[in-house]
Amino acid sequence: MPAPLRATAALLIAALTAGCAGASSPRREPPPGAASPAASPAAPPASSPSPSPSGAASPSAAAVAETVAGMSLERKVGQLFMPVLYGSRADAAHAENRARFGVGTPAEVVRRYHLGGAILFPWAGNVEDAGQVAALTRGLQKAAELPLAIGADQENGLVSRLSPLITDMPGSMAVGATGRAEDAYDAARVTGEELLALGVNLDFAPVADVNVDPANPVIGSRSYGSDPARVAEMVGAAVDGFHQAGVAAAAKHFPGHGDTKVDSHSGLPVIRHSPAKWAKLDAPPFRAAIERGVDVVMSAHVVMPELDRSGAPATLSKRILTGLLRDELGYEGVVSTDALDMAGVREKYGDAEVAVRAVLAGVDLLLMPPDLPKAYQAVLGAVRSGRITRERLDLSVTRLLTMKAARGILSAAPAGDPAGLRSAEHRAVAQAIADRAVTAVRGGGRLPLKGDVLVTGPVARRLAGMIDGAQAVVTGDTPTAGQIAAARAAAARADAVVVTTADAGPAQARLVAAMAGTGKTLALVSTAAPYELTRLRGADVALAVYAGGEASLRAAAKVLTGSLKPGGDLPVTLTGR
């Protein structure tokens, strides 16, 4: 690091070693009628600002400004980028790094591009075991000129990038089914504490989308539900929970991704919500997140033509990211893109131009550019030419450093001790939430099951192992005719049959129909979004547990055997159930 930058960075960190942490956007009173998570002993009142991470300090605007002033143009541009780096060690070369970035090790990539952050994924070789992840994050921080925001997609449930290293926590829709904001708070707090122990200081959660389309292929059980008020309540509590743990939180996907049949990973969804419908349906959870001082708001690669008639996806829309998010909702924190390697935003402009247009729209954090060298040079060139003004660049860098200061990233030591992961206390929190989430969609009065039990379907063996004496016939996600025949033959020797389902398609539907035809008591256990239960007929009992993790399956086993009464409330609307 050059001496002037090192000196100003030291001044910034020194200025952040006393006092209490603030937030990266203003705190406001919660909306009238918002429930408080205060029933949880650890939870702060809903009307309070999100708590400060322990040991963090108050961000000094003057110190941040001095640091920004001491940075070169190249270093400022680097702060905007959060790519995927390849490999399990910061100092070990990886072929993908050489191919993509021109250097071998993750640490060299951090130094070459003056990065402001990195995001971890198992598929990039970043996640092997807890000690390795903690060592990786420490190595990345050691290589950085200013401390990095190290992110992960750990929503819990369907999207759990650091599973199984951390506590298996039920996902958002399961939490929504409990109806308890304190459960959203506790789930986020536990997850945040464990992420921080690994050196991950930014979680791209909570999901603030209101899922109203049963056929939504990308959100579904990642959402807290279909009621904007309930989702807003859960999102606000989750932001508080992350902050209690000392981790930055990111509400996603603005302006809302809950009403689409197109997956933005592979296409560009168009959502035709009027401004009035958007304000009523999509906006409340984001308002709640902003009121609780959320650190980051992530954009969606969706087109909302009634909000921006240009047809630009929200990630590239100044009308949406600056006009709606900043001017109308009053958000002053960091705006992040969703992953820039997704087809929904790449196709029209390409990997260089899309980064420039995102910054011009109001983005501060460019997440997962598929071609970092090209995107970095494009933004650098746009600033040098004046297309992106230096004042606009400084504003983004200031927001990013202020966010890092507010969450203790600039003043905290690198990764802590991962020995406390998956503690008994944390596992108990997960199990309590899973127990409260189980919902009897049909036939709860027919429980508990009697006699010999056969369990079949995708997670049959795991669930059967939790029920004394149960037998299992595993069929997978797409049961073959032979597997269905084997399950039917086994059902002849049972008194009751349990079929586990997950986003059931035609093959799983044929399995359910075959089991219904045996005449045995039939119970379904839905381990995904419960919409599938409207397509599956002939069952005496239908339970929704919303996830296929250990805690959720154990909760299902308790209900099936009568040691737990199902008390969850459907967080989405099912027609014809």
Side-chain angles (χ1 to χ4, degrees):
M1 184 190 307
L5 179 56
R6 184 183 298 112
T8 52
L11 283 173
L12 173 59
I13 293 171
L16 299 171
T17 57
C20 297
S24 53
S25 62
R27 306 297 171 81
R28 298 173 175 82
E29 291 300 311
S36 168
S40 172
S47 59
S48 299
S50 293
S52 306
S54 176
S58 177
S60 163
V64 169
E66 186 169 359
T67 299
V68 174
M71 298 170 69
S72 67
L73 177 59
E74 291 79 6
R75 285 169 172 80
K76 289 177 182 178
V77 170
Q79 284 294 305
L80 275 56
F81 285 94
M82 180 178 278
V84 178
L85 307 178
Y86 292 83
S88 60
R89 289 173 45 193
D91 60 353
H94 192 286
E96 282 293 325
N97 293 327
R98 292 195 186 280
R100 293 171 179 268
F101 311 121
V103 292
T105 72
E108 289 175 309
V109 182
V110 169
R111 288 191 289 264
R112 170 171 281 199
Y113 294 97
H114 318 290
L115 294 179
I119 184 169
L120 306 185
F121 284 95
W123 51 260
N126 301 148
V127 182
E128 294 177 354
D129 58 61
Q132 168 268 319
V133 173
L136 171 62
T137 59
R138 283 194 297 269
L140 293 175
Q141 293 291 15
K142 184 178 179 181
E145 298 167 342
L146 288 171
L148 300 170
I150 298 182
D153 268 334
Q154 187 62 37
E155 299 171 10
N156 297 319
L158 185 63
V159 177
S160 299
R161 308 301 187 195
L162 293 176
S163 175
L165 303 186
I166 69 174
T167 298
D168 171 33
M169 191 67 60
S172 296
M173 193 163 283
V175 174
T178 74
R180 291 162 46 99
E182 55 264 48
D183 284 342
Y185 173 91
D186 280 337
R189 174 185 60 82
V190 166
T191 298
E193 289 173 359
E194 298 197 3
L195 291 178
L196 202 60
L198 294 169
V200 175
N201 50 39
L202 168 60
D203 194 359
F204 285 102
V207 173
D209 303 310
V210 180
N211 200 84
V212 294
D213 189 337
N216 193 322
V218 66
I219 303 300
S221 64
R222 298 168 64 193
S223 168
Y224 288 106
S226 60
D227 176 14
R230 178 180 293 197
V231 175
E233 180 183 33
M234 298 294 172
V235 165
V239 171
D240 284 347
F242 283 121
H243 287 174
Q244 176 64 31
V247 169
K252 60 189 188 185
H253 309 79
F254 190 85
H257 207 320
D259 192 9
T260 174
K261 291 180 174 61
V262 175
D263 185 344
S264 52
H265 291 83
S266 56
L268 184 58
V270 177
I271 301 175
R272 301 188 182 279
H273 288 184
S274 68
K277 184 173 183 178
W278 173 81
K280 182 178 180 180
L281 177 68
D282 301 296
F286 292 101
R287 288 186 186 276
I290 292 167
E291 287 157 357
R292 304 301 248 280
V294 74
D295 307 277
V296 177
V297 172
M298 177 187 283
S299 70
H301 301 330
V302 301
V303 173
M304 284 198 175
E306 298 301 314
L307 303 185
D308 181 354
R309 298 187 184 280
S310 74
T315 298
L316 307 181
S317 168
K318 188 171 184 178
R319 169 73 188 103
I320 289 174
L321 295 187
T322 299
L324 283 184
L325 180 56
R326 295 211 185 278
D327 297 341
E328 185 169 321
L329 298 188
Y331 180 60
E332 296 179 5
V334 171
V335 174
S336 170
T337 68
D338 201 345
L340 291 175
D341 62 358
M342 294 164 61
V345 77
R346 292 182 69 187
E347 292 178 350
K348 185 173 182 180
Y349 296 110
D351 296 334
E353 177 67 9
V354 75
V356 174
R357 286 178 176 260
V359 174
L360 291 172
V363 163
D364 308 301
L365 178 60
L366 297 162
L367 182 65
M368 297 172 61
D371 190 327
L372 174 63
K374 184 181 290 186
Y376 177 89
Q377 290 298 329
V379 175
L380 186 62
V383 178
R384 285 174 172 160
S385 72
R387 185 180 176 195
I388 296 173
T389 67
R390 292 183 182 246
E391 292 77 13
R392 172 67 190 85
L393 175 63
D394 285 357
L395 186 57
S396 282
V397 177
T398 298
R399 288 186 186 120
L400 288 160
L401 294 186
T402 301
M403 179 271 286
K404 291 180 180 182
R407 291 299 135 225
I409 296 170
L410 292 181
S411 55
D417 181 6
L421 300 180
R422 304 187 75 250
S423 68
E425 183 262 323
H426 286 181
R427 294 197 308 274
V429 170
Q431 191 61 61
I433 294 172
D435 287 353
R436 286 190 284 268
V438 183
T439 307
V441 178
R442 294 196 299 269
R446 303 286 297 270
L447 297 173
L449 300 180
K450 305 293 186 182
D452 294 330
V453 176
L454 169 72
V455 186
T456 188
V459 292
R461 184 168 290 113
R462 292 168 56 211
L463 180 57
M466 300 171 183
I467 300 173
D468 287 345
Q471 300 299 307
V473 174
V474 180
T475 62
D477 291 330
T478 53
T480 65
Q483 290 171 331
I484 293 173
R488 187 180 179 92
R493 302 184 295 273
D495 299 298
V497 178
V498 177
V499 180
T500 62
T501 62
D503 294 324
Q508 288 187 54
R510 287 193 292 272
L511 172 65
V512 171
M515 295 301 97
T518 66
K520 305 299 175 77
T521 301
L522 175 60
L524 304 182
V525 176
S526 170
T527 63
Y531 303 111
E532 62 182 356
L533 294 175
T534 64
R535 305 189 296 272
L536 302 174
R537 296 298 179 181
D540 302 291
V541 178
L543 300 179
V545 299
Y546 310 98
E550 184 80 9
S552 297
L553 293 182
R554 193 167 300 283
K558 292 178 184 179
V559 170
L560 292 169
T561 58
S563 64
L564 175 70
K565 294 291 185 183
D569 178 39
L570 270 175
V572 295
T573 300
L574 300 186
T575 58
R577 60 187 170 116

